mmCIF file of all heavy atoms in Angstrom:
data_model
loop_
_atom_site.group_PDB
_atom_site.id
_atom_site.type_symbol
_atom_site.label_atom_id
_atom_site.label_comp_id
_atom_site.label_asym_id
_atom_site.label_seq_id
_atom_site.Cartn_x
_atom_site.Cartn_y
_atom_site.Cartn_z
ATOM 1 N N GLY I 42 -6.080 14.949 5.247
ATOM 2 C CA GLY I 42 -5.909 15.083 3.808
ATOM 3 C C GLY I 42 -7.095 14.481 3.074
ATOM 4 O O GLY I 42 -7.878 13.722 3.638
ATOM 5 N N PRO I 43 -7.244 14.809 1.807
ATOM 6 C CA PRO I 43 -8.345 14.235 1.025
ATOM 7 C C PRO I 43 -8.221 12.722 0.920
ATOM 8 O O PRO I 43 -7.120 12.200 0.723
ATOM 9 C CB PRO I 43 -8.177 14.884 -0.353
ATOM 10 C CG PRO I 43 -7.355 16.103 -0.123
ATOM 11 C CD PRO I 43 -6.448 15.753 1.010
ATOM 12 N N LYS I 44 -9.340 12.035 1.042
ATOM 13 C CA LYS I 44 -9.384 10.590 0.905
ATOM 14 C C LYS I 44 -10.215 10.257 -0.314
ATOM 15 O O LYS I 44 -11.351 10.700 -0.446
ATOM 16 C CB LYS I 44 -9.994 9.936 2.149
ATOM 17 C CG LYS I 44 -10.016 8.412 2.096
ATOM 18 C CD LYS I 44 -10.696 7.807 3.301
ATOM 19 C CE LYS I 44 -12.195 7.750 3.101
ATOM 20 N NZ LYS I 44 -12.882 6.972 4.170
ATOM 21 N N LEU I 45 -9.633 9.464 -1.207
ATOM 22 C CA LEU I 45 -10.341 9.106 -2.433
ATOM 23 C C LEU I 45 -11.541 8.224 -2.118
ATOM 24 O O LEU I 45 -11.419 7.198 -1.455
ATOM 25 C CB LEU I 45 -9.402 8.359 -3.390
ATOM 26 C CG LEU I 45 -10.031 7.912 -4.707
ATOM 27 C CD1 LEU I 45 -10.396 9.107 -5.563
ATOM 28 C CD2 LEU I 45 -9.091 6.978 -5.452
ATOM 29 N N LEU I 46 -12.695 8.618 -2.609
ATOM 30 C CA LEU I 46 -13.899 7.795 -2.476
ATOM 31 C C LEU I 46 -14.112 6.954 -3.729
ATOM 32 O O LEU I 46 -14.382 5.759 -3.637
ATOM 33 C CB LEU I 46 -15.131 8.687 -2.242
ATOM 34 C CG LEU I 46 -15.187 9.431 -0.913
ATOM 35 C CD1 LEU I 46 -16.396 10.343 -0.888
ATOM 36 C CD2 LEU I 46 -15.234 8.441 0.249
ATOM 37 N N ILE I 47 -14.025 7.597 -4.885
ATOM 38 C CA ILE I 47 -14.285 6.884 -6.120
ATOM 39 C C ILE I 47 -13.597 7.595 -7.266
ATOM 40 O O ILE I 47 -13.451 8.827 -7.265
ATOM 41 C CB ILE I 47 -15.808 6.753 -6.389
ATOM 42 C CG1 ILE I 47 -16.078 5.811 -7.573
ATOM 43 C CG2 ILE I 47 -16.454 8.110 -6.599
ATOM 44 C CD1 ILE I 47 -17.544 5.373 -7.666
ATOM 45 N N GLN I 48 -13.142 6.796 -8.228
ATOM 46 C CA GLN I 48 -12.467 7.311 -9.418
ATOM 47 C C GLN I 48 -13.165 6.745 -10.647
ATOM 48 O O GLN I 48 -13.348 5.525 -10.754
ATOM 49 C CB GLN I 48 -10.998 6.902 -9.414
ATOM 50 C CG GLN I 48 -10.223 7.311 -10.645
ATOM 51 C CD GLN I 48 -8.778 6.840 -10.598
ATOM 52 O OE1 GLN I 48 -8.266 6.487 -9.537
ATOM 53 N NE2 GLN I 48 -8.123 6.840 -11.741
ATOM 54 N N PHE I 49 -13.537 7.635 -11.561
ATOM 55 C CA PHE I 49 -14.159 7.235 -12.819
ATOM 56 C C PHE I 49 -13.184 7.464 -13.979
ATOM 57 O O PHE I 49 -12.451 8.449 -14.000
ATOM 58 C CB PHE I 49 -15.409 8.079 -13.112
ATOM 59 C CG PHE I 49 -16.581 7.821 -12.216
ATOM 60 C CD1 PHE I 49 -16.809 8.615 -11.096
ATOM 61 C CD2 PHE I 49 -17.476 6.801 -12.486
ATOM 62 C CE1 PHE I 49 -17.890 8.401 -10.281
ATOM 63 C CE2 PHE I 49 -18.569 6.577 -11.680
ATOM 64 C CZ PHE I 49 -18.782 7.380 -10.569
ATOM 65 N N GLN I 50 -13.236 6.565 -14.922
ATOM 66 C CA GLN I 50 -12.583 6.771 -16.201
ATOM 67 C C GLN I 50 -13.708 6.743 -17.225
ATOM 68 O O GLN I 50 -14.321 5.706 -17.439
ATOM 69 C CB GLN I 50 -11.556 5.687 -16.491
ATOM 70 C CG GLN I 50 -10.841 5.831 -17.814
ATOM 71 C CD GLN I 50 -10.032 7.103 -17.892
ATOM 72 O OE1 GLN I 50 -9.580 7.635 -16.893
ATOM 73 N NE2 GLN I 50 -9.835 7.594 -19.100
ATOM 74 N N ASN I 51 -13.978 7.935 -17.804
ATOM 75 C CA ASN I 51 -15.207 8.106 -18.601
ATOM 76 C C ASN I 51 -16.394 7.736 -17.703
ATOM 77 O O ASN I 51 -16.524 8.291 -16.627
ATOM 78 C CB ASN I 51 -15.135 7.316 -19.892
ATOM 79 C CG ASN I 51 -14.017 7.824 -20.791
ATOM 80 O OD1 ASN I 51 -13.921 9.023 -21.057
ATOM 81 N ND2 ASN I 51 -13.153 6.928 -21.234
ATOM 82 N N ASN I 52 -17.242 6.807 -18.051
ATOM 83 C CA ASN I 52 -18.369 6.492 -17.167
ATOM 84 C C ASN I 52 -18.182 5.173 -16.435
ATOM 85 O O ASN I 52 -19.112 4.665 -15.820
ATOM 86 C CB ASN I 52 -19.684 6.510 -17.941
ATOM 87 C CG ASN I 52 -19.686 5.513 -19.076
ATOM 88 O OD1 ASN I 52 -18.659 4.949 -19.419
ATOM 89 N ND2 ASN I 52 -20.832 5.278 -19.659
ATOM 90 N N GLY I 53 -16.950 4.634 -16.496
ATOM 91 C CA GLY I 53 -16.656 3.404 -15.786
ATOM 92 C C GLY I 53 -15.909 3.655 -14.491
ATOM 93 O O GLY I 53 -15.121 4.602 -14.400
ATOM 94 N N VAL I 54 -16.144 2.812 -13.495
ATOM 95 C CA VAL I 54 -15.498 2.956 -12.194
ATOM 96 C C VAL I 54 -14.131 2.286 -12.223
ATOM 97 O O VAL I 54 -14.016 1.107 -12.568
ATOM 98 C CB VAL I 54 -16.357 2.336 -11.083
ATOM 99 C CG1 VAL I 54 -15.611 2.392 -9.748
ATOM 100 C CG2 VAL I 54 -17.685 3.071 -10.977
ATOM 101 N N VAL I 55 -13.077 3.018 -11.870
ATOM 102 C CA VAL I 55 -11.720 2.485 -11.809
ATOM 103 C C VAL I 55 -11.394 2.013 -10.391
ATOM 104 O O VAL I 55 -10.789 0.961 -10.201
ATOM 105 C CB VAL I 55 -10.692 3.543 -12.252
ATOM 106 C CG1 VAL I 55 -9.266 3.037 -12.043
ATOM 107 C CG2 VAL I 55 -10.920 3.929 -13.706
ATOM 108 N N ASP I 56 -11.803 2.809 -9.397
ATOM 109 C CA ASP I 56 -11.482 2.485 -8.006
ATOM 110 C C ASP I 56 -12.586 3.014 -7.116
ATOM 111 O O ASP I 56 -12.856 4.206 -7.131
ATOM 112 C CB ASP I 56 -10.135 3.106 -7.621
ATOM 113 C CG ASP I 56 -9.647 2.689 -6.237
ATOM 114 O OD1 ASP I 56 -10.478 2.324 -5.375
ATOM 115 O OD2 ASP I 56 -8.422 2.736 -5.984
ATOM 116 N N ASP I 57 -13.235 2.129 -6.382
ATOM 117 C CA ASP I 57 -14.215 2.555 -5.372
ATOM 118 C C ASP I 57 -13.997 1.796 -4.076
ATOM 119 O O ASP I 57 -14.931 1.578 -3.307
ATOM 120 C CB ASP I 57 -15.647 2.402 -5.875
ATOM 121 C CG ASP I 57 -16.022 0.952 -6.150
ATOM 122 O OD1 ASP I 57 -15.146 0.067 -6.028
ATOM 123 O OD2 ASP I 57 -17.182 0.694 -6.497
ATOM 124 N N SER I 58 -12.744 1.414 -3.841
ATOM 125 C CA SER I 58 -12.429 0.566 -2.697
ATOM 126 C C SER I 58 -12.677 1.244 -1.353
ATOM 127 O O SER I 58 -12.871 0.576 -0.343
ATOM 128 C CB SER I 58 -10.977 0.097 -2.775
ATOM 129 O OG SER I 58 -10.104 1.210 -2.851
ATOM 130 N N GLN I 59 -12.662 2.577 -1.315
ATOM 131 C CA GLN I 59 -12.872 3.277 -0.052
ATOM 132 C C GLN I 59 -14.245 3.946 0.014
ATOM 133 O O GLN I 59 -14.485 4.763 0.910
ATOM 134 C CB GLN I 59 -11.751 4.314 0.151
ATOM 135 C CG GLN I 59 -10.368 3.678 0.258
ATOM 136 C CD GLN I 59 -9.324 4.683 0.697
ATOM 137 O OE1 GLN I 59 -8.993 4.787 1.882
ATOM 138 N NE2 GLN I 59 -8.785 5.441 -0.244
ATOM 139 N N LEU I 60 -15.111 3.590 -0.866
ATOM 140 C CA LEU I 60 -16.468 4.145 -0.857
ATOM 141 C C LEU I 60 -17.349 3.282 0.048
ATOM 142 O O LEU I 60 -17.482 2.081 -0.186
ATOM 143 C CB LEU I 60 -17.034 4.164 -2.275
ATOM 144 C CG LEU I 60 -18.394 4.835 -2.469
ATOM 145 C CD1 LEU I 60 -18.250 6.348 -2.381
ATOM 146 C CD2 LEU I 60 -19.000 4.420 -3.808
ATOM 147 N N PRO I 61 -17.947 3.864 1.075
ATOM 148 C CA PRO I 61 -18.859 3.086 1.942
ATOM 149 C C PRO I 61 -20.146 2.765 1.180
ATOM 150 O O PRO I 61 -21.120 3.512 1.226
ATOM 151 C CB PRO I 61 -19.103 4.028 3.128
ATOM 152 C CG PRO I 61 -18.076 5.110 3.015
ATOM 153 C CD PRO I 61 -17.768 5.237 1.559
ATOM 154 N N LYS I 62 -20.134 1.650 0.543
ATOM 155 C CA LYS I 62 -21.189 1.360 -0.439
ATOM 156 C C LYS I 62 -22.564 1.120 0.192
ATOM 157 O O LYS I 62 -23.582 1.129 -0.516
ATOM 158 C CB LYS I 62 -20.778 0.159 -1.288
ATOM 159 C CG LYS I 62 -19.524 0.408 -2.125
ATOM 160 C CD LYS I 62 -19.153 -0.801 -2.924
ATOM 161 C CE LYS I 62 -17.828 -0.606 -3.630
ATOM 162 N NZ LYS I 62 -16.683 -0.460 -2.704
#
Side-chain angles (χ1 to χ4, degrees):
Chain I
K44 182 183 85 171
L45 179 67
L46 292 175
I47 189 166
Q48 176 182 343
F49 290 96
Q50 180 63 27
N51 296 309
N52 59 349
V54 175
V55 174
D56 186 335
D57 64 356
S58 57
Q59 297 190 96
L60 186 74
K62 297 179 186 65

